[in-house]
DNA sequence: GGCTATCAGTTTGTGTGCAAACTATTTGCA
DNA sequence: TGCAAATAGTTTGCACACAAACTGATAGCC
């Protein structure tokens, strides 16, 4: 956080910009930081996740853990592979994360008797109960962002297009 | 990568959904994973950064390091504080990252003689030369995403609105 | 039946991110 | 002047995120 304004006084003198190229073949702003969509995406993602932090902290979970809980609240025994597909997260990321959720008492982890390779990740009573508190989160975020449902919907569709395009 | 499809066979039987609430006060989809903007943002951010990976890897830098280079290509001696403001990244994140960029030979780190607290992060000759390769990155990404400049522009404006709203 | 390829998770190593504690300067003010 | 508060970076601890190597279990296939 502590978002500081975009422009600051130059650190030293040296105001001359790097220009070692022929200058004719040089689209000057192709590399401009403030028009990189990847940069805007990264900052927006981190900024929004930061909004969740104070709301999730009293629940004792992080934002990635919150996403896992959202998935489990929709369907409760899920394998690591299924969670990996739903959240588009690496199994190597989920594995320790799920252990932390288990340590927090929100899920259980046990092997599927029908396929000992698979792990059945299941909500505990506490995990299910946590949903009550979670219901207050999205409204709080939407109020904080102060954007209309239309705006958020349009953004969501844009993001979905990007995700689909980047997928394969 | 290895983005797997959204739906997979249910792990076990247990198809019955958790429904322990009065059901009247229950907006069923408020917590639906696939309509959380925060989730779409996180996935889109990770997905797009993943597109950069194979392009940046031959340059020997990561995506956050690439963003630092973009900032330095616009203005070369920059302090950690200035970089922190421009990239909206914690100094505690930048500090080791800049040491890695220095170890890669792309920047130098030395104290500002006029204020020994400040660190002057400056491009090396190699760091400046890297810009030539970087010029090929944005077109490659845009082609990969297969989105029009209009679409990307609209997305960028939406993201900028979100960033501003989330800012504090 | 037994062997091999595949599959599901886990582990390891590296690199972010962020909060909090810490160090070294510099500023500002009594 | 002298010293407390503010400032700029660094360090530490924890939690992702991902690639690659590894382990155990299952599925095919002869």
């Amino acid at each position: 956080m502590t978002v500081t304004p975009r422009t600051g006084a130059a650190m030293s003198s040296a105001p001359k910009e790097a220009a070692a190229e022929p200058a004719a073949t040089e689209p000057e702003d192709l590399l401009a930081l403030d028009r990189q969509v990847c940069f805007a995406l990264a900052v927006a993602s981190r900024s929004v996740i930061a909004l969740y932090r104070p709301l999730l902290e009293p629940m004792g979970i992080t934002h990635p853990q919150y996403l896992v809980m959202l998935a489990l609240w929709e369907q409760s025994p899920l394998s690591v592979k299924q969670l990996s597909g739903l959240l588009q997260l690496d199994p190597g990321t989920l594995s320790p994360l799920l252990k932390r959720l288990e340590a927090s008492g929100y899920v259980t982890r046990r092997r599927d008797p029908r396929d000992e390779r698979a792990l059945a990740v299941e909500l505990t009573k506490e995990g299910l109960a946590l949903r009550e508190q979670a219901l207050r989160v999205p409204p709080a975020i939407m109020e904080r962002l102060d954007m209309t449902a239309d705006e958020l919907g349009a953004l969501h569709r844009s993001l979905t297009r990007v995700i689909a395009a980047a997928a394969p």
Side-chain angles (χ1 to χ4, degrees), chain A:
Chain A
M1 322 319 69
T2 65
V3 176
T4 54
R6 229 164 204 171
T7 48
M11 168 149 209
S12 304
S13 44
K16 56 166 171 252
E17 184 49 48
E21 295 82 10
T25 55
E26 192 67 19
E28 186 55 38
D29 43 15
L30 190 65
L31 295 181
L33 184 60
D34 62 6
R35 56 177 69 188
Q36 306 296 316
V37 173
C38 67
F39 174 53
L41 263 176
V43 174
S45 176
R46 284 190 283 109
S47 300
V48 171
I49 289 176
L51 293 184
Y52 281 80
R53 225 184 308 277
L55 301 176
L56 298 181
E57 190 263 312
M59 299 168 64
I61 57 176
T62 64
H63 189 263
Q65 291 170 11
Y66 171 70
L67 297 181
V68 168
M69 296 303 288
L70 289 182
L72 289 173
W73 286 325
E74 290 185 34
Q75 180 177 350
S76 181
L78 281 176
S79 68
V80 173
K81 179 178 175 58
Q82 288 175 312
L83 281 169
S84 173
L86 287 169
L87 304 177
Q88 305 196 23
L89 268 180
D90 203 275
T93 298
L94 285 172
S95 193
L97 187 155
L98 292 170
K99 287 184 182 177
R100 284 187 282 270
L101 274 183
E102 182 182 43
S104 299
Y106 293 135
V107 306
T108 56
R109 295 164 61 256
R110 62 180 219 290
R111 292 289 162 179
D112 185 333
R114 281 187 294 298
D115 184 346
E116 289 285 340
R117 291 174 302 182
L119 193 74
V121 180
E122 191 162 17
L123 286 177
T124 61
K125 191 147 54 113
E126 292 76 19
L128 184 55
L130 194 65
R131 191 171 185 276
E132 294 303 301
Q133 291 184 59
L135 282 170
R136 287 196 297 262
V137 170
I141 295 292
M142 279 175 50
E143 191 197 357
R144 180 66 177 71
L145 283 180
D146 190 31
M147 290 174 70
T148 68
D150 277 1
E151 279 180 301
L152 286 179
L155 173 58
H156 195 285
R157 279 187 295 279
S158 280
L159 293 174
T160 303
R161 281 223 351 92
V162 169
I163 292 169

